[in-house]
RNA sequence: GGGGGCGUAGCUCAGUCGGUAGAGCAUCGGCCUUUUAAGCCGCUGGUCGCAGGUUCGAGUCCUGCCGCCCUCACCA
């Protein structure tokens, strides 16, 4: 038996001992629990004196034992719930009958207690228990009681341990919920409705990415996990749903990095009779509400930088940035190709627009630190976007960048079915076949033929928004269970 | 796929020039009714990621492999 198994066996023995005492080691319903946060708040107005036990000031709390100080017949426990930590005082005098069971408590166990509030002589707010309920006797030892779990691999593989032993991690995911709820509330406040469209799609489209493929047995057909909900949401515009959004889990069968996870969450929205300028306001608006719900601070640290989200964000034309940072004119194809040579980009077999965008990505993107809308993209790489009325080589598209990272992407949507069909039929040299946005979807074209109102559309990467607003350097720190290569069963 | 780094007790980490694998915490046993990472005494705990190689001798040097992190490439 390994030492690890021994430690586990010792705890299993304690579980059996509890059963012999007639104590259920796994508890049950435990009503009317007050959070430790609420208790701390309540205690402020009670003015409990140091060393006082306020008889009759009742409290009922449940949580996990994260620290334990046993002094023979007096035990102090630090109990952690979602809102924070609170000290329990367990005295043999008050808990005579339960004492043998309470001596079996270990770090990591989940318990509940009723008692009077007080303060110890070191002025620590304490629940002096007169009844303790064991809610879950644990058989795995928790990690280091003050370092928590630091091994990054174990943190991701055993996120549940990471969450209860590292309060900062839990706080980040609570903030994630706050941010996404703010995005929803903002859009609902703009008269949007939330919808759900297929994640299993017979044709994938709406983005340029490799899909995951799967198979439906009963229909005997191959399906793709969506890379984007775009083509379905636009069908809803045709159907007369004028403002729709979806919080969409998208799947892209591509590399993993600090900014990419194979499954990620976007909010994608479409607004009839709007355009991409309105979408810029939507990005600003949802971000501002999220910040307001967090701490209201528009100037936020990210790594060693400070990002200022004050509205309005900077707006720059794609062509202007290309001229500024690459020193070439967007219409100067030869100049762009010379620059591509300089940058070591192999562009011989690429379409002009693809080369242009390669140069843009290499020279401009990492310069866009403060929130910036880059607008008016080369039309050829935007098959789903309406053309500029004065220049058919320009598409009414913007991308939002923060800290050199693409946060969002928006169009004034193309609603001309004839042009849309042409765009989907033509593929660009230099684009990989399975990674182009130009995948023909006959039913989508048919929908457009029935008439889609002019509209603005927008997608915002919510994982990346959460990264930025919570100062998280890796997308894995804002995704609860990021993809990891599975380990053999030998791993604990 | 290229480059760099990491992998030692349940957890957090040391381990010098190649010379008997260590500490703290946790666990286990003992003392303890006001602790705050409680304290004190005693014990237990190891496939040094895996497999080879060099060597009288490898946690340490070499090769291959596995996993993770960073980075470049890839990637709306």
């Amino acid at each position: 038996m390994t030492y690890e198994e021994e430690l586990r066996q010792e705890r299993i023995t304690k579980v059996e001992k509890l059963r012999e005492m007639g104590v259920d080691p796994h508890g049950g319903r435990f009503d009317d629990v007050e959070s430790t946060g609420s208790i701390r708040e309540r205690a402020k107005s009670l003015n409990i004196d140091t060393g006082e036990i306020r008889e009759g000031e009742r409290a009922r709390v449940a949580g996990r034992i994260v620290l334990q100080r046993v002094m023979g017949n007096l035990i102090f426990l630090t109990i952690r719930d979602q809102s924070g930590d609170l000290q329990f005082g367990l005295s043999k005098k008050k808990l005579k009958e339960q004492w043998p069971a309470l001596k079996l408590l270990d770090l990591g166990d989940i318990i509940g207690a009723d008692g009077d509030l007080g303060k110890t002589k070191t002025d620590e707010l304490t629940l002096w228990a007169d009844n303790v309920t064991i809610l879950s006797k644990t058989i795995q030892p928790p990690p280091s009681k003050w370092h928590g779990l630091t091994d990054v691999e174990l943190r991701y593989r055993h996120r549940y341990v990471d969450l209860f032993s590292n309060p900062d991690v839990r706080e980040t995911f609570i903030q994630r919920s706050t941010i996404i709820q703010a995005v929803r509330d903002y859009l609902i406040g703009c008269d949007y409705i939330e919808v759900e469209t297929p994640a299993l799609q017979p044709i994938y489209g709406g983005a340029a990415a490799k899909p995951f493929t799967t198979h439906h047995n009963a229909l005997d057909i191959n399906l793709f996990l969506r890379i984007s909900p775009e083509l379905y949401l636009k069908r809803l515009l045709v159907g007369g749903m004028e403002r729709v959004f979806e919080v969409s889990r998208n799947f892209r069968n591509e590399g993993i990095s600090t900014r990419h996870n194979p499954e990620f969450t976007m909010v994608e929205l479409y607004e009839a009779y709007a355009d991409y300028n309105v979408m810029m306001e939507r990005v600003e608006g949802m971000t501002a509400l999220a910040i307001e719900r967090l701490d209201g601070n528009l100037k936020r640290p990210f790594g060693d930088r400070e990002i200022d989200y004050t509205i309005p964000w900077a707006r720059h034309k794609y062509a202007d940035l290309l001229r500024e940072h690459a020193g070439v004119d967007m219409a100067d194809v030869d100049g762009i190709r010379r620059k591509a040579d300089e940058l070591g980009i192999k562009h011989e077999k690429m379409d002009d627009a693809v080369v242009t965008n390669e140069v843009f990505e290499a020279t401009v993107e990492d310069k866009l630190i403060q929130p910036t809308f880059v607008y008016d993209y080369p039309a050829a790489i935007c098959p789903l976007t309406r053309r500029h009325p004065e220049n058919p080589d320009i598409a009414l598209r913007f991308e939002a960048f923060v800290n050199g990272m693409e946060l969002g992407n928006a169009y004034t949507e193309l609603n001309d079915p004839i042009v849309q069909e042409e765009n989907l039929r033509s593929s660009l040299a230099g684009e990989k076949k399975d990674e182009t946005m130009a995948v023909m979807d006959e039913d989508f074209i048919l929908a457009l033929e029935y008439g889609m109102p002019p509209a603005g559309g927008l997608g915002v990467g919510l994982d990346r928004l959460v990264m930025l607003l919570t100062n998280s350097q890796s997308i894995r720190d804002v995704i609860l269970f990021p993809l990891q290569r599975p380990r053999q069963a030998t791993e604990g």
Side-chain angles (χ1 to χ4, degrees):
Chain A
M1 190 158 62
T2 65
Y3 189 63
E4 192 176 357
E5 286 163 348
E6 263 177 56
L7 292 176
R8 182 168 171 273
Q9 195 54 51
E10 276 165 3
R11 284 176 173 240
I12 289 175
T13 303
K14 290 180 180 177
V15 170
E16 288 162 353
K17 280 186 186 167
L18 285 174
R19 287 214 177 87
E20 285 165 19
M21 293 173 189
V23 175
D24 184 343
H26 295 102
R29 181 167 170 171
F30 196 70
D31 286 329
D32 303 320
V33 168
E34 185 175 1
S35 74
T36 61
S38 160
I39 295 210
R40 280 189 296 278
E41 202 56 39
R42 179 148 69 97
K44 277 182 194 169
S45 55
L46 291 175
N47 297 315
I48 301 171
D49 291 329
T50 301
E52 178 191 358
I53 298 178
R54 184 68 60 88
E55 301 285 344
E57 193 63 46
R58 304 294 292 168
R60 183 173 171 85
V61 173
R64 189 184 293 271
I65 301 172
V66 294
L67 292 172
Q68 186 177 221
R69 296 171 287 281
V70 182
M71 269 152 287
N73 296 321
L74 180 66
I75 302 175
F76 288 106
L77 301 174
T78 302
I79 298 297
R80 176 170 298 164
D81 71 3
Q82 189 175 295
S83 64
D85 296 351
L86 180 70
Q87 175 163 278
F88 281 11
L90 276 52
S91 146
K92 186 176 181 182
K93 232 180 218 173
K94 273 193 172 177
L95 296 160
K96 201 131 199 147
E97 308 211 330
Q98 293 189 297
W99 202 248
L102 300 181
K103 293 293 278 187
L104 295 175
L105 289 176
D106 283 304
L107 289 175
D109 292 348
I110 298 170
I111 65 170
D114 298 277
D116 295 324
L117 291 178
K119 280 192 176 172
T120 61
K121 65 186 187 189
T122 52
D123 209 37
E124 179 79 19
L125 180 63
T126 301
L127 188 159
W128 288 100
D130 43 46
N131 186 41
V132 176
T133 306
I134 295 176
L135 296 170
S136 194
K137 187 85 184 95
T138 56
I139 61 175
Q140 284 286 343
S144 171
K145 65 187 182 187
W146 64 84
H147 293 108
L149 192 62
T150 64
D151 183 289
V152 177
E153 183 177 353
L154 290 180
R155 285 185 44 226
Y156 295 150
R157 289 190 189 280
H158 301 170
R159 179 71 93 182
Y160 39 89
V161 179
D162 190 29
L163 285 166
F164 76 69
S165 65
N166 298 328
D168 291 354
V169 172
R170 202 181 47 219
E171 181 58 26
T172 296
F173 286 103
I174 292 170
Q175 288 179 344
R176 178 182 171 118
S177 173
T178 299
I179 291 164
I180 293 177
Q181 190 59 44
V183 168
R184 282 197 160 96
D185 290 347
Y186 170 76
L187 291 172
I188 297 289
C190 294
D191 296 325
Y192 277 75
I193 62 167
E194 182 169 6
V195 298
E196 292 171 278
T197 65
L200 286 174
Q201 303 180 345
I203 300 170
Y204 65 95
K210 293 192 194 100
F212 288 90
T213 61
T214 187
H215 186 81
H216 187 266
N217 291 340
L219 295 181
D220 191 25
I221 52 168
N222 289 323
L223 292 168
F224 303 99
L225 273 65
R226 67 175 159 207
I227 58 173
S228 158
E230 173 153 352
L231 302 186
Y232 283 94
L233 290 170
K234 283 181 174 172
R235 285 170 166 95
L236 300 181
L237 289 177
V238 173
M241 301 179 83
E242 293 171 349
R243 296 185 181 198
V244 293
F245 76 93
E246 178 164 15
V247 176
S248 169
R249 186 75 60 89
N250 296 341
F251 305 86
R252 297 185 183 176
N253 204 339
E254 290 171 350
I256 297 174
S257 79
T258 49
R259 295 174 172 192
H260 299 84
N261 195 61
E263 55 179 302
F264 65 100
T265 306
M266 294 192 71
V267 61
E268 190 145 329
L269 50 115
Y270 291 86
E271 181 168 334
Y273 316 121
D275 68 2
Y276 70 159
N277 292 299
V278 175
M279 294 299 107
M280 292 184 200
E281 292 170 24
R282 298 291 176 239
V283 176
E284 291 168 335
M286 67 175 67
T287 304
L289 186 61
I291 289 172
E292 187 185 318
R293 297 270 177 89
L294 291 175
D295 55 22
N297 194 351
L298 287 164
K299 294 180 181 172
R300 312 185 71 79
F302 191 78
D304 48 15
R305 292 177 166 135
E306 185 182 79
I307 310 287
D308 185 351
Y309 295 92
T310 303
I311 294 173
W313 298 3
R315 288 154 164 77
H316 293 295
K317 278 190 182 170
Y318 186 99
D320 293 345
L321 290 169
L322 197 65
R323 196 176 303 112
E324 180 183 344
H325 295 288
V328 290
D329 194 285
M330 205 165 127
D332 176 9
V333 173
D334 293 337
I336 286 169
R337 288 191 183 266
R338 277 196 301 275
K339 187 71 189 179
D341 281 332
E342 262 177 54
L343 296 164
I345 296 167
K346 291 172 191 154
H347 58 86
E348 290 75 20
K349 293 179 179 171
M350 284 181 183
D351 186 278
D352 291 344
V354 178
V355 183
T356 304
N357 203 43
E358 292 279 330
V359 171
F360 182 89
E361 287 179 3
T363 57
V364 181
E365 286 194 358
D366 62 352
K367 309 286 196 314
L368 304 175
I369 303 305
Q370 296 302 322
T372 303
F373 295 113
V374 179
Y375 66 98
D376 289 358
Y377 273 65
I381 59 169
C382 312
L384 300 164
T385 312
R386 178 185 287 238
R387 272 48 185 147
H388 196 288
E390 288 159 21
N391 182 352
D393 293 333
I394 299 290
L396 300 176
R397 168 185 183 175
F398 76 76
E399 290 195 0
F401 287 90
V402 180
N403 200 55
M405 177 164 72
E406 184 197 336
L407 176 64
N409 180 29
Y411 314 142
T412 296
E413 301 296 343
L414 176 58
N415 65 338
D416 178 334
I418 305 295
V419 175
Q420 182 67 85
E421 182 167 10
E422 280 169 15
N423 288 352
L424 293 188
R425 287 207 188 282
S426 62
S427 66
L428 289 181
E431 279 192 333
K432 291 173 193 157
K433 243 188 204 156
D434 52 356
E435 284 184 28
T436 176
M437 275 191 262
V439 174
M440 178 51 65
D441 183 333
E442 302 282 358
D443 183 71
F444 171 60
I445 299 297
L446 179 63
L448 293 189
E449 290 184 358
Y450 277 102
M452 184 178 94
L458 164 69
V460 172
L462 291 178
D463 310 286
R464 290 178 174 181
L465 181 63
V466 174
M467 282 174 70
L468 289 165
L469 298 187
T470 61
N471 192 13
S472 300
Q473 304 303 307
S474 170
I475 199 167
R476 290 178 214 104
D477 293 329
V478 299
I479 291 176
L480 282 166
F481 300 99
L483 186 66
Q484 301 279 107
R485 185 180 293 279
R487 300 206 77 177
Q488 299 303 314
T490 55
E491 193 259 339

